[in-house]
Amino acid sequence: MSTSTPVTTLAPSSSSTLKHICVFCGSKHGVRPGYTDAAHALAQTLVKHKIGLVYGGGTVGLMGEIARGVQSGLGPHAVLGVIPEALASREISSELIGDTKVVKDMHERKAMMARHADGFIAMPGGLGTLEELLEVMTWQQLGFHAKPIGLLNTEGFFDPLLAFFKHCIDEVRISTWCLKHASPYKCMPYGPGSPTTSILS
């Protein structure tokens, strides 16, 4: 059973300007059922707001759950998946979801996902998810884009990451941007019957 947890919005946003959201998440379901519940809930939220999905192109794990949910509600045209050739055999185990682009490498994948997205949401995932999240955060900090970024902090998954940001600020005096930009924007609870994301509100 999932517990009520916050979604941290790292930049201001307006759902009227969001046509496609890029979701970073795992190719596995994870050990907590709440992660899958959150993927379903986020898919329903995107459908409700008629916002298309840009994602990593896999059909397995949380990636597959959210992509199938958005496709079911908005149709295949609303889902863009981008996957490198080397990962296709590992992360595609069933019929393709939406419009799937197979690209040469990870760099091309991330560039295409960022180009087609009006904002980003990170869900529970592994090193790939974290790398994608940190890259778009870095791009925003450096002024390369002004697209909203959010964390779907299901069951406190990202609490250690937020604590690590604070540790880096304290120990090596990195910019406080990553935490300061979280504080002005509202955090919404995640749980049954609750809004799933403030990035869309």
Side-chain angles (χ1 to χ4, degrees):
M1 179 179 296
S2 59
T3 59
S4 188
T5 53
V7 174
T8 302
T9 302
L10 303 179
S13 64
S14 169
S15 61
S16 63
T17 64
L18 298 175
K19 304 302 182 185
H20 299 88
I21 289 286
C22 179
V23 176
F24 304 131
C25 59
S27 59
K28 295 182 172 64
H29 286 88
V31 299
R32 297 176 185 266
Y35 300 157
T36 300
D37 294 342
H40 294 161
L42 180 55
Q44 292 171 7
T45 300
L46 294 177
V47 170
K48 176 183 176 181
H49 289 272
K50 294 182 171 57
I51 294 175
L53 171 69
V54 180
Y55 83 115
T59 65
V60 296
L62 298 180
M63 283 198 294
E65 298 291 348
I66 189 168
R68 277 187 288 271
V70 174
Q71 177 173 264
S72 176
L74 296 178
H77 66 280
V79 178
L80 173 63
V82 187
I83 191 165
E85 296 174 353
L87 293 182
S89 61
R90 295 166 52 184
E91 296 187 355
I92 297 177
S93 65
S94 60
E95 184 177 350
L96 296 177
I97 305 171
D99 179 14
T100 302
K101 305 292 187 184
V102 180
V103 297
K104 182 175 61 177
D105 54 35
M106 292 292 289
H107 298 292
E108 188 175 353
R109 178 199 216 180
K110 291 184 293 181
M112 182 176 289
M113 291 167 70
R115 187 166 60 249
H116 286 276
D118 302 309
F120 308 90
I121 294 176
M123 291 186 58
L127 295 179
T129 298
L130 293 176
E131 190 266 345
E132 291 165 335
L133 169 64
L134 293 176
E135 184 164 71
V136 296
M137 287 180 65
T138 301
W139 290 347
Q140 191 191 77
Q141 181 183 10
L142 295 175
F144 295 161
H145 75 83
K147 299 176 181 180
I149 305 168
L151 303 180
L152 186 50
N153 194 22
T154 307
E155 302 199 19
F157 180 85
F158 286 108
D159 287 351
L161 178 63
L162 296 173
F164 179 69
F165 289 159
K166 179 63 165 57
H167 173 74
C168 290
I169 291 168
D170 292 342
E171 294 296 320
V172 294
R173 299 296 188 243
I174 69 167
S175 169
T176 58
W177 175 93
C178 55
L179 292 182
K180 282 186 176 180
H181 277 64
S183 59
Y185 308 107
K186 58 186 176 182
C187 295
M188 302 295 284
Y190 169 72
S194 300
T196 55
T197 174
S198 60
I199 201 171
L200 302 176
S201 61

